[in-house]
Amino acid sequence: MSTPKRYTITAALPYTNGPVHIGHLAGVYVPADIYTRYLRQKGEDVVFVCGSDEHGVPITIKAKKEGITPQQVVDKYNEIIKTSFADFGISFDNYSRTSAKIHHDTASDFFTKLYNDGEFIEEVTEQLYDAEANQYLADRFVVGTCPKCGNEESYGDQCENCGTTHNATDLINPKSSITGNVPSLKETKHWFLPLDKHEAFLKEWILEGHKNDWKSNVLGQVKSWIDDGLRPRAVTRDLDWGIPVPIEGADGKVLYVWFDAPIGYISATKEWAEQNNTDWKPYWKDKDTKLVHFIGKDNIVFHCIIFPAMLKAHGDYILPENVPANEFLNLEGNKLSTSKNWAVWLHEYLLDFPDKQDVLRYALTATAPETKDNDFTWKDFQARNNNELVAIFGNFINRVIVLTNKYYGGQVPPAGDLSEVDEETISTLKEFPNTISRSIERYRFREASQELLGLARLGNKYLADEEPWKVIKQDEERVKTIMNVALQIATGLAVLCEPFLPFTSVKLKKMLNIDENLTWNDISKKDVLIEANHQINKAELLFAKIEDKEIEAQLEKLQATKLANEQAKKTMEPQKETIEFDDFTKLDMRVGTIIEAEKVAKTKKLLQLKVDVGIDVRTIVSGIAESFKPEDLIGQQVTVLCNLAPRKLRGVESQGMILMTDTPEGKLAFVEPSEKVQNGGQIS
């Protein structure tokens, strides 16, 4: 589509079973926001919608864990998510909820239309059933071994390890996540969308029609699905949380979350239209509208096969022009995981880095996982801020504003005759909107962000080459021209940075005292962006340097999370056989102090210790040499089992045993009193 009349932009609906983290922001919401803000600056007619996905099994699982109702879960996290998006400048025209009445009505009407048109297959099938819980097991209530990659913790609908989508009955050794029992198969009736009926259409529409403009990762996943042969997909589930199936004989059944969720884009647009007293239909039913879905790679099958098949079957709706799905973002070399708390949560980030939303937006854009999985590291985050935003962008703006205030009391000086360098610089400035546009319109946001930084580099080079702080001593008129040109670049940056750095754009426009009337196209068309004699304001720092200690604090937080996860998954030894009190009284355990320590010759693990246990000083051989240096043990208080029968180890008789345990890191640790006690003190 070369010249769309309007744009409908959607961002994947986040599940309201937890907050949002940097992986969500990098994969979906920042790219979608950049694209939307850019279109608005171009003067396009755009609606940008999203909303909380409040149905599905993850919600009910979270409710069970927290001991609250599903509605309480979605209310809690909807507010957290909505606030996080607003805090980071994600500029939705409407952020809705799938629990809203307008969505229930829209999804029910959609299902009913397809049902009445005979687009569904009604089948009685066998589904996994947990007899103890007395319920059918929807996808996320089943855990088992993935039939493709062997991951033993795959869910019933999708393997998080390899990304494969499957049915719960495909799992090897499935277990109920409710009770841990092995489920049985039980008959139940459901309605299916026959994807095989739409296979030829999908193949022609995507693999042929969009082979030159869609991302290779999207085409590859779609091709794999189609090559494997599409099969009917259930659009209903046996659950008590969701949108009730709106036909007779469907008691206790709800619409499958992946049927109802994408319809949320339509209902969110309807809601926006009602709020703005406008018509929603052109944004979903006019062929001159460009529909773009921003998603992560785990949602490709739903947005490129299932939802298009639904839209095609309905008949009244347009199909997406593009689905620029991103790959996954990792964190410090490990997969982001909500359940393992291995994430940088947006609401927590702002507590540690207040007013640095744009720094994170920029760092995530510059390392976005556009073509392959990528890694976010705190060191790279620091470098992007200090070496690029502070040293390049911020440095240029600060010099321009400070010098203008110093030389001219904050008034834009008039330009005199332009030199060849001045004209080349202005000409280059005018090229940047088109250069950045080409990258954005091909969904290459990493590339676009670096092109933007190139404009700040242009400004820095211009000032460094022209040296107004030196020229001012010999040629004041020349400096006026230099500063005028530099201020044109600064004004261009204020406009062009807005999609990427919206908070910075506001600050910069305030410093330059310019209004919102300048558009993206003005930068390339106008000869003068900021007029002579215009009064600007004082300089403020756009970006502040991030110190090493701030980064170390984040790394320490992650290390603590890693240790907690390792400890949590560590298998505890089961309790030993029960003993009687009389058995315990036979043990003579006393506090002692190590007074000598040396390695046992020709061994790696053994230390020979002299321990004062109050009643005597005895030799004890202990296998702790790999955890402790002998010289560090002198004076260490320990707990000793004194009446253990002596035993020779490597020719040395050991007269007792020192009690040890291990730390979360797997290191040995002494079992010792919490404060200094007298040697010989008994444990009772």
Side-chain angles (χ1 to χ4, degrees), residues 23 160-161 163 296-299 326-330 335-336 369 372-375:
E160 290 191 338
N161 186 58
K297 70 175 178 181
D298 53 335
N299 291 340
N326 275 344
E327 299 292 293
F328 288 153
L329 185 73
N330 297 324
K335 285 187 175 182
L336 282 155
K372 62 179 181 179
D373 289 359
N374 213 345
D375 196 35

Side-chain angles (χ1 to χ4, degrees), residues 594-609:
I594 299 173
I595 56 176
E596 293 180 18
E598 62 180 330
K599 284 191 173 183
V600 176
K602 298 181 181 180
T603 69
K604 289 175 62 178
K605 295 184 177 181
L606 299 181
L607 290 182
Q608 180 177 327
L609 309 172

Side-chain angles (χ1 to χ4, degrees), residues 336-480:
L336 282 155
S337 172
T338 298
S339 60
K340 295 177 181 177
N341 195 31
W342 190 256
V344 178
W345 304 106
L346 300 191
H347 63 294
E348 291 182 358
Y349 168 88
L350 286 178
L351 296 176
D352 297 330
F353 298 99
D355 300 321
K356 286 187 169 61
Q357 298 97 319
D358 278 352
V359 178
L360 186 59
R361 283 180 63 119
Y362 176 77
L364 293 177
T365 303
T367 57
E370 291 179 347
T371 56
K372 62 179 181 179
D373 289 359
N374 213 345
D375 196 35
F376 175 90
T377 69
W378 280 111
K379 290 291 186 183
D380 180 73
F381 166 82
Q382 181 187 27
R384 296 282 180 186
N385 179 78
N386 294 354
N387 302 338
E388 296 176 11
L389 294 180
V390 174
I392 299 173
F393 195 129
N395 180 56
F396 168 66
I397 295 300
N398 188 60
R399 288 202 287 181
V400 172
I401 304 295
V402 167
L403 290 177
T404 302
N405 276 282
K406 179 179 179 181
Y407 297 156
Y408 312 112
Q411 282 197 340
V412 177
D417 293 334
L418 298 181
S419 69
E420 186 177 337
V421 170
D422 299 335
E423 289 178 344
E424 286 179 0
T425 301
I426 294 294
S427 177
T428 303
L429 165 61
K430 290 183 175 184
E431 293 172 3
F432 272 91
N434 289 334
T435 301
I436 298 172
S437 288
R438 283 194 295 271
S439 297
I440 290 177
E441 289 177 4
R442 289 183 293 173
Y443 310 102
R444 296 179 179 178
F445 302 106
R446 291 176 63 168
E447 184 179 272
S449 69
Q450 296 313 296
E451 294 291 355
L452 173 71
L453 198 66
L455 180 53
R457 286 193 173 98
L458 173 72
N460 273 320
K461 185 178 187 307
Y462 177 74
L463 284 180
D465 290 347
E466 298 306 306
E467 298 181 309
W469 46 87
K470 290 184 179 178
V471 177
I472 191 77
K473 298 171 185 176
Q474 294 87 30
D475 191 345
E476 292 185 3
E477 290 303 310
R478 172 61 189 154
V479 172
K480 289 179 182 178

Side-chain angles (χ1 to χ4, degrees), residues 436-573:
I436 298 172
S437 288
R438 283 194 295 271
S439 297
I440 290 177
E441 289 177 4
R442 289 183 293 173
Y443 310 102
R444 296 179 179 178
F445 302 106
R446 291 176 63 168
E447 184 179 272
S449 69
Q450 296 313 296
E451 294 291 355
L452 173 71
L453 198 66
L455 180 53
R457 286 193 173 98
L458 173 72
N460 273 320
K461 185 178 187 307
Y462 177 74
L463 284 180
D465 290 347
E466 298 306 306
E467 298 181 309
W469 46 87
K470 290 184 179 178
V471 177
I472 191 77
K473 298 171 185 176
Q474 294 87 30
D475 191 345
E476 292 185 3
E477 290 303 310
R478 172 61 189 154
V479 172
K480 289 179 182 178
T481 301
I482 294 171
M483 294 310 302
N484 184 288
V485 171
L487 283 160
Q488 304 305 321
I489 297 172
T491 305
L493 269 173
V495 175
L496 298 181
C497 80
E498 196 268 346
F500 306 89
L501 308 167
F503 299 94
T504 301
S505 178
V506 170
K507 289 180 187 176
L508 183 47
K509 287 175 180 176
K510 181 181 176 184
M511 274 192 270
L512 293 170
N513 193 25
I514 59 176
D515 58 30
E516 298 292 328
N517 292 330
L518 275 176
T519 68
W520 190 273
N521 295 331
D522 288 337
I523 309 304
S524 57
K525 291 180 179 178
K526 288 190 173 184
D527 292 326
V528 177
L529 301 175
I530 188 167
E531 297 287 343
N533 301 317
H534 173 80
Q535 183 71 43
I536 68 170
N537 294 312
K538 299 291 184 182
E540 295 178 21
L541 281 181
L542 284 181
F543 307 101
K545 189 177 179 183
I546 294 174
E547 303 296 338
D548 290 345
K549 64 181 182 181
E550 297 176 81
I551 298 304
E552 290 303 319
Q554 297 303 318
L555 293 173
E556 288 172 7
K557 187 188 294 186
L558 287 176
Q559 184 61 24
T561 296
K562 183 178 287 187
L563 293 177
N565 287 335
E566 290 174 357
Q567 186 68 6
K569 73 178 182 180
K570 183 179 175 183
T571 303
M572 290 292 174
E573 291 292 327

